[in-house]
Amino acid sequence: MEKAQSENGVNSLYGSGIVVGVDGSDQSQCALVWAAHEAARRGTRLSVVTAYTVPVFAASSMDAGYATIDDAVIREGAQAVLNQAVARIGELPIEIDPRVESGDAAGVLLELSEEAELIVVGSRGRGGFVGRLLGSVSSAVPAHAKCPTVVIPLCAARRFGDAGVEPPKTKGEPGPTAADVERVVVVGVDGSEQARMASLAAAEQAVSRGMPLRVVCSLPPFTGSLAWVPAPLDREALHADIRVSLDAGKSWLQSHFPGLEISVELLDGPPVEVLIENSRTSELLVVGTRGRGGFAGMLMGSTSQGVLHHAKGPVLVVPDSNDPRLLDRENFGPMVAPTS
């Protein structure tokens, strides 16, 4: 896919416009507010989408006439959800494209991801329209979307208190307020190519927001088959090896974003926990998908899913891509931690 120049001056490999999925739940309303302000910041169109399906029993046990009526009633309910969502963000100066789509919610959003620059969903939605859009969708869409996906947890609503649009009330543990959030974009890396793609996307986000970028790599404790390793000596050597690769990665990233302030942190601890804690205080947390071949495969894949389900702030998930900027990474030093 060729690069395109976005309206905010940042190169993008993806399409145009932001798509947000809504189902009437508080989680989707939180995602809607974030997506609307992101569209205003980027100066791009926002497509507000709700999807519905006719229950199987209605199509199989009723004649065609009843099935048609049932479809009309369900679509009318979906339209009401959509109208409410559009009214909520109507005061913002953005172009809104409201859509009611028939079909599985995940399938609808994945299809739209082929042309969008960003998909936005809430995390673990329940109780909304047909109870179907969020929840499992917030796991399936980031893993398979053709463009980046942002997942917004409900506890992030407190960040939007001064955003001009009333956020939904948080349930359970209250999340950080706008005053608690540091103006920094954080990206989790593990040395894999997927992590390098995520770091490029994170750098673009940092540039467009006028914020520094923090690259975080977390070294998990030795467990299972690695428990026998002499921890003090080998862990120090492993730290040194990973630091060499991280510094090389920073130099590579800096070559593509020369004006961006970039810092690198190598931390001890379970990657999921480290990244969740970073999501609490960062403007945006960025991760990749399906990482392989990095530092013992310790960040991507299952870790990304764990972060999505427990994050305290917006998480941007970046899909695999053939970004040409990846080709010169090896010119800056070790690609993964060398063998000690």
Side-chain angles (χ1 to χ4, degrees):
M1 186 179 296
E2 295 182 359
K3 287 186 181 181
Q5 190 76 15
S6 65
E7 293 185 27
N8 58 14
V10 177
N11 285 326
S12 174
L13 293 171
Y14 308 101
S16 61
I18 296 174
V19 174
V20 59
V22 298
D23 67 355
S25 66
D26 286 344
Q27 286 84 352
S28 75
Q29 295 299 313
C30 189
L32 172 70
V33 172
W34 188 91
H37 284 278
E38 181 67 7
R41 187 185 71 82
R42 297 190 184 198
T44 192
R45 180 184 70 255
L46 177 66
S47 294
V48 183
V49 179
T50 191
Y52 74 96
T53 57
V54 178
V56 174
F57 74 88
S60 61
S61 63
M62 300 181 184
D63 62 31
Y66 280 100
T68 301
I69 293 174
D70 196 61
D71 178 85
V73 170
I74 295 177
R75 185 177 182 86
E76 183 178 332
Q79 186 65 56
V81 167
L82 188 65
N83 292 344
Q84 182 184 36
V86 171
R88 190 183 194 106
I89 59 173
E91 65 184 68
L92 295 177
I94 57 175
E95 177 188 352
I96 301 175
D97 174 24
R99 300 188 186 187
V100 174
E101 301 285 351
S102 175
D104 176 76
V108 167
L109 292 176
L110 289 175
E111 183 176 350
L112 292 174
S113 75
E114 296 181 4
E115 299 297 334
E117 64 184 86
L118 187 69
I119 297 287
V120 183
V121 296
S123 177
R124 299 192 302 280
R126 288 188 285 274
F129 182 69
V130 193
R132 183 62 190 91
L133 183 56
L134 304 182
S136 61
V137 174
S138 63
S139 297
V141 172
H144 302 287
K146 301 301 182 184
C147 70
T149 302
V150 172
V151 178
I152 309 293
L154 183 59
C155 63
R158 297 183 70 203
R159 300 180 180 217
F160 314 141
D162 59 354
V165 176
E166 184 69 20
K169 296 181 180 179
T170 57
K171 301 175 182 177
E173 178 188 357
T177 65
D180 300 322
V181 178
E182 183 182 358
R183 287 182 54 81
V184 63
V185 174
V186 174
V187 59
V189 300
D190 68 348
S192 65
E193 183 167 312
Q194 287 79 9
R196 287 189 285 275
M197 187 63 226
S199 66
L200 287 171
E204 290 181 350
Q205 291 297 318
V207 169
S208 70
R209 286 172 163 77
M211 300 177 183
L213 174 66
R214 182 182 301 152
V215 180
V216 174
C217 181
S218 177
L219 185 62
F222 289 145
T223 58
S225 62
L226 294 179
W228 59 269
V229 175
L233 177 61
D234 287 348
R235 200 163 183 86
E236 289 181 8
L238 184 58
H239 265 264
D241 288 346
I242 293 177
R243 172 59 69 177
V244 170
S245 185
L246 288 175
D247 288 344
K250 176 184 176 181
S251 297
W252 164 72
L253 201 56
Q254 198 80 71
S255 72
H256 291 286
F257 300 90
L260 178 61
E261 179 184 343
I262 303 173
S263 61
V264 177
E265 293 186 359
L266 176 57
L267 306 173
D268 283 306
V272 172
E273 295 180 11
V274 168
L275 293 179
I276 289 173
E277 186 58 32
N278 271 273
S279 75
R280 183 186 298 275
T281 56
S282 61
E283 185 78 15
L284 183 68
L285 174 65
V286 184
V287 295
T289 57
R290 299 188 299 281
R292 300 184 194 88
F295 307 131
M298 64 190 181
L299 177 61
M300 303 303 161
S302 61
T303 297
S304 297
Q305 288 293 330
V307 171
L308 288 179
H309 290 304
H310 300 285
K312 306 303 179 184
V315 180
L316 174 66
V317 183
V318 182
D320 297 348
S321 174
N322 295 322
D323 192 316
R325 292 173 293 183
L326 296 171
L327 298 177
D328 63 357
R329 167 61 184 86
E330 61 185 5
N331 297 336
F332 291 83
M335 297 286 282
V336 295
T339 302
S340 299

